Amino acid sequence: MPPHAVTNKTMPQAQKINLLDFTSDKLKAFFQDRGEKPFRATQIIKWIHQYGVDDFSKMSNVSKALRAELEEISEIRAPEIVIDKASSDGTHKWLLKLDDGNCIETVFIPEDGRGTLCVSSQVGCALDCTFCSTARQGFNRNLSVAEIIGQLWVAKKALQPDPSSDRVISNVVMMGMGEPLLNFDNVVDAMTLMLDDNAYGLSKRRVTLSTSGVVPALDRLREQVEVSLAISLHAPNDKLRDQLVPVNRKYPIKTLLESCLRYMDGKAAREKITMEYVMLDNVNDSDQNAHELVKLLKDIPVKVNLIPFNPFPETRYARSSNNRIHRFRDILEAAGLIVMTRKTRGEDIDAACGQLAGEVNDKSRREIHFARIES
Ligand code: SAH
């Protein structure tokens, strides 16, 4: 048989449209193109995101004919959970498998009165921050809208069997694997769904995008979607930040802070940008560093989030001592800054900030590597 003569059995199925990729507006346009009424989009968005339904036959207020048509051409497909790890402190980490075999990680952190989901935006990360474990994975690709919002969809369903209050997702932080502003369009659409009353209905104060400071994209963000902002600052001067967060060489601190001010322009005084500052022993945690930070941030509406460094294998860094963190915090507070120290959660399951790496992905890479060696 010539190589092109495939039988029906092996003929690839036409790819179905994944409805998880659509915001309400895009789904409305999709239905209008097919001669359907736009309100169908609202119905379907509710079924998918509010009720977690992926089976068209359950969509009881949608006509049978439309359900059959949707079944034929589309699907609702989220990443698949391959590992579900629970920490002794209630934190959950899911390893999710994507269609191409890559794996990403999503973390749920229950706290008093709220539950935060930490969502990934890319497979790996291209930015190479020296203290981050995701950076060591290298970069593979951007996640689709379905793969980003699918993390929320999957986590909500996985937590639902026990709908006690501390297992409800009340907040989302784009602080998982990847740099969200380097996957701009898909992240904007996914966050639009997070805010959409017909989908997840989270307030803009409860959805936070964390960035290492990709300034041109940050400038565009506000026009597209309004969410809370966190900046991975980590150093009070360019010399140090160039080493820790290499994107600083392209967009130095002054340029970044000017962009932050533009972002906050016209916002209520109570709204503040979170400045993330990882506490690295003997690297960025001296009294002098604290004083420099005070000077840098004095005219910007910020709160500072001190993050005790979370170690990972072969890292060259160590966590600052508790005493050092307290002292650093005291200096900032004495100067009038609002400071929080992030509680480290899920350490026993490698789910803390900067520890997300997608283990299965790692393994497959090693397998490829070994296959190369062996061939
Ligand atoms: N790329 C985005 C979001 C991902 S990281 C960003 O840079 O903001 C989320 C937060 O965890 C960032 O502030 C990041 O700098 C911090 N982080 C990364 N590695 C860490 C580690 N090993 N310990 C503590 N925080 C870390």
Side-chain angles (χ1 to χ4, degrees):
M1 197 165 60
H4 58 272
V6 282
T7 64
N8 262 346
K9 236 168 137 189
T10 55
M11 192 92 85
Q13 293 275 309
Q15 185 99 37
K16 286 189 170 182
I17 297 163
N18 191 354
L19 298 187
L20 271 183
D21 269 316
F22 289 76
T23 59
S24 281
D25 282 350
K26 288 185 176 164
L27 198 58
K28 272 182 196 150
F30 171 79
F31 278 126
Q32 265 170 330
D33 284 350
R34 307 187 69 82
E36 287 287 343
K37 295 271 185 297
F39 78 87
R40 293 284 177 216
T42 312
Q43 289 178 322
I44 304 279
I45 286 278
K46 280 189 181 171
W47 279 114
I48 298 175
H49 298 286
Q50 286 188 356
Y51 306 119
V53 166
D54 56 359
D55 175 354
F56 293 107
S57 70
K58 297 210 171 109
M59 300 185 177
S60 51
N61 60 356
V62 178
S63 74
K64 264 202 172 139
L66 180 58
R67 278 190 257 159
E69 188 187 336
L70 287 174
E71 177 85 55
E72 179 81 26
I73 59 165
S74 68
E75 61 186 346
I76 296 149
R77 192 155 41 88
E80 181 197 337
I81 296 179
V82 283
I83 300 176
D84 178 350
K85 280 191 188 171
S87 159
S88 51
D89 68 13
T91 301
H92 256 269
K93 179 169 86 167
W94 294 281
L95 187 72
L96 302 177
K97 191 168 176 194
L98 312 176
D99 283 348
D100 62 1
N102 273 307
C103 287
I104 51 164
E105 294 183 330
T106 304
V107 178
F108 175 71
I109 309 143
E111 281 165 302
D112 295 341
R114 68 173 176 185
T116 302
L117 192 72
C118 179
V119 168
S120 294
S121 56
Q122 297 182 311
V123 182
C125 188
L127 286 184
D128 219 14
C129 299
T130 49
F131 54 88
C132 180
S133 149
T134 305
R136 297 165 61 88
Q137 293 284 103
F139 174 69
N140 191 298
R141 66 171 175 85
N142 282 335
L143 295 180
S144 66
V145 179
E147 289 164 341
I148 301 169
I149 203 66
Q151 295 169 60
L152 185 46
W153 191 86
V154 158
K156 193 176 156 191
K157 271 174 91 104
L159 295 168
Q160 233 161 26
D162 172 14
S164 60
S165 61
D166 67 342
R167 283 171 63 102
V168 168
I169 299 167
S170 60
N171 295 59
V172 175
V173 290
M174 298 299 304
M175 292 186 189
M177 299 164 71
E179 167 49 53
L181 289 185
L182 289 179
N183 183 12
F184 190 85
D185 292 339
N186 293 347
V187 165
V188 164
D189 276 8
M191 293 194 307
T192 302
L193 279 164
M194 292 170 198
L195 303 178
D196 185 342
D197 283 339
N198 293 315
Y200 298 91
L202 299 175
S203 87
K204 63 181 186 210
R205 273 179 298 118
R206 291 174 177 271
V207 176
T208 302
L209 180 141
S210 176
T211 178
S212 52
V214 186
V215 168
L218 183 53
D219 281 339
R220 281 199 291 140
L221 183 65
R222 212 191 131 141
E223 294 145 31
Q224 305 277 328
V225 63
E226 248 199 90
V227 292
S228 300
L229 191 61
I231 301 284
S232 292
L233 188 63
H234 304 315
N237 59 62
D238 283 326
K239 187 159 177 261
L240 190 51
R241 194 164 192 267
D242 279 353
Q243 288 169 33
L244 300 176
V245 186
V247 75
N248 193 68
R249 295 176 204 152
K250 197 153 184 202
Y251 308 113
I253 293 176
K254 185 167 178 288
T255 314
L256 175 58
L257 295 183
E258 282 165 3
S259 174
C260 289
L261 281 174
R262 286 192 290 277
Y263 192 86
M264 295 314 279
D265 187 32
K267 287 193 191 266
R270 65 187 152 73
E271 290 182 49
K272 304 223 178 320
I273 294 181
T274 302
M275 289 290 166
E276 296 163 287
Y277 197 100
V278 64
M279 296 300 291
L280 303 168
D281 184 38
N282 263 319
V283 175
N284 64 352
D285 64 349
S286 68
D287 286 3
Q288 197 203 330
N289 292 145
H291 289 296
E292 257 184 292
L293 195 59
V294 166
K295 244 171 123 181
L296 191 68
L297 298 178
K298 67 179 186 332
D299 296 324
I300 304 176
V302 294
K303 49 190 180 205
V304 179
N305 198 340
L306 300 180
I307 314 174
F309 171 65
N310 296 308
F312 49 89
E314 291 168 46
T315 178
R316 70 181 110 139
Y317 298 109
R319 179 184 294 179
S320 308
S321 69
N322 284 345
N323 279 347
R324 186 83 303 266
I325 297 176
H326 282 144
R327 169 82 185 140
F328 197 90
R329 180 179 178 145
D330 284 347
I331 294 172
L332 302 186
E333 282 182 333
L337 283 170
I338 302 168
V339 189
M340 297 160 298
T341 307
R342 192 175 290 176
K343 258 201 279 173
T344 290
R345 303 288 304 266
E347 264 182 309
D348 53 341
I349 54 168
D350 287 342
C353 301
Q355 290 188 320
L356 304 187
E359 286 163 30
V360 171
N361 191 9
D362 223 15
K363 186 164 167 276
S364 66
R365 281 186 180 193
R366 275 203 295 274
E367 275 165 4
I368 292 165
H369 183 62
F370 292 143
R372 268 199 220 114
I373 293 171
E374 280 162 12
S375 62

